[in-house]
Amino acid sequence: MLIQGLFYLFSAILVLAALGVISARNPVYSALALVMCFVTSAAIWLLLEAEFLAVVLVLVYVGAVMVLFLFVVMMLDINLAELRQGFTRFAWLGWLTALAVIVEIAGVVWARGGLGIDASAGGTASAADYSNTLALGTLLYTRYAYPLELAAMLLLVAIVAAISLTMRRRAGLKQQDISAQVAVRAEDRVRLIKMASEKRP
């Protein structure tokens, strides 16, 4: 009963944080709401006895990926005033997309005759020597090796795209000229001035 109550509590917080991600007009607040999504998702993983996934979700996504997101948001120099103006202009497209996703999920559940999970039975207890880390690693590097490599390539493309966005030319951007920095001489930057010493009274 306690686990079920905690599940509903964390699920409610997760839904509210997800709504905050898409409704916050400040991108920094949206990223912080996404951090809350990850933390509550990790708590739900803990309730399912998937400790490795919970720890990875907190360490990797909250500790590394979200920091990267915040750096990208800061470096992109987003015009918040223009973002606020376009929020309601494309809201209808967002609602249509959300409705299409909901219809697709409901269609899949209806076609399969439910989720295929007997929620009344509850979860089965794992053995004392069971390691979900070993089971997950075995599946990832045997059965799902190619999807894992594909996901890594997609992440690499996303990183390259983020770097290319930050390197675009815009007004007021100062860029380095490596050849000019290497060719500089001390005489061009340092001027030695000889002054006669003065005796203090």
Side-chain angles (χ1 to χ4, degrees):
M1 188 66 183
L2 177 62
I3 295 179
Q4 187 176 5
L6 289 175
F7 171 77
Y8 285 121
L9 175 63
F10 289 133
S11 299
I13 296 174
L14 178 59
V15 171
L16 291 177
L19 290 175
V21 172
I22 61 175
S23 61
R25 300 191 178 185
N26 192 326
V28 178
Y29 294 158
S30 180
L32 292 176
L34 190 57
V35 170
M36 179 60 71
C37 288
F38 289 148
V39 171
T40 51
S41 298
I44 293 175
W45 280 118
L46 283 176
L47 293 177
L48 294 174
E49 297 183 2
E51 297 86 4
F52 177 77
L53 292 178
V55 171
V56 167
L57 190 62
V58 172
L59 292 181
V60 176
Y61 282 90
V62 177
V65 176
M66 285 311 305
V67 173
L68 177 63
F69 282 178
L70 287 175
F71 276 127
V72 169
V73 167
M74 296 301 180
M75 287 189 294
L76 284 179
D77 194 17
I78 298 175
N79 189 356
L80 295 179
E82 184 179 353
L83 188 65
R84 292 190 183 97
Q85 293 175 357
F87 180 76
T88 56
R89 183 172 49 180
F90 298 105
W92 61 274
L93 182 59
W95 286 112
L96 284 178
T97 305
L99 181 62
V101 171
I102 292 172
V103 169
E104 289 177 359
I105 293 174
V108 170
V109 172
W110 179 77
R112 294 185 58 181
L115 295 176
I117 300 174
D118 187 8
S120 61
T124 58
S126 301
D129 58 346
Y130 176 76
S131 173
N132 54 19
T133 306
L134 178 61
L136 183 63
T138 304
L139 282 176
L140 281 180
Y141 292 103
T142 55
R143 184 176 179 183
Y144 298 104
Y146 291 120
L148 180 67
E149 295 297 328
L150 181 61
M153 291 301 297
L154 289 177
L155 286 175
L156 179 61
V157 170
I159 292 172
V160 173
I163 294 174
S164 64
L165 283 175
T166 59
M167 298 300 292
R168 73 185 191 279
R169 294 185 178 274
R170 58 182 185 269
L173 179 65
K174 295 182 179 179
Q175 292 184 339
Q176 288 183 311
D177 189 356
I178 305 299
S179 60
Q181 291 177 352
V182 173
V184 71
R185 298 180 302 171
E187 294 81 6
D188 300 332
R189 297 298 177 96
V190 180
R191 185 176 60 176
L192 300 178
I193 299 176
K194 293 184 179 180
M195 299 179 61
S197 60
E198 297 180 358
K199 185 178 182 181
R200 294 185 178 181

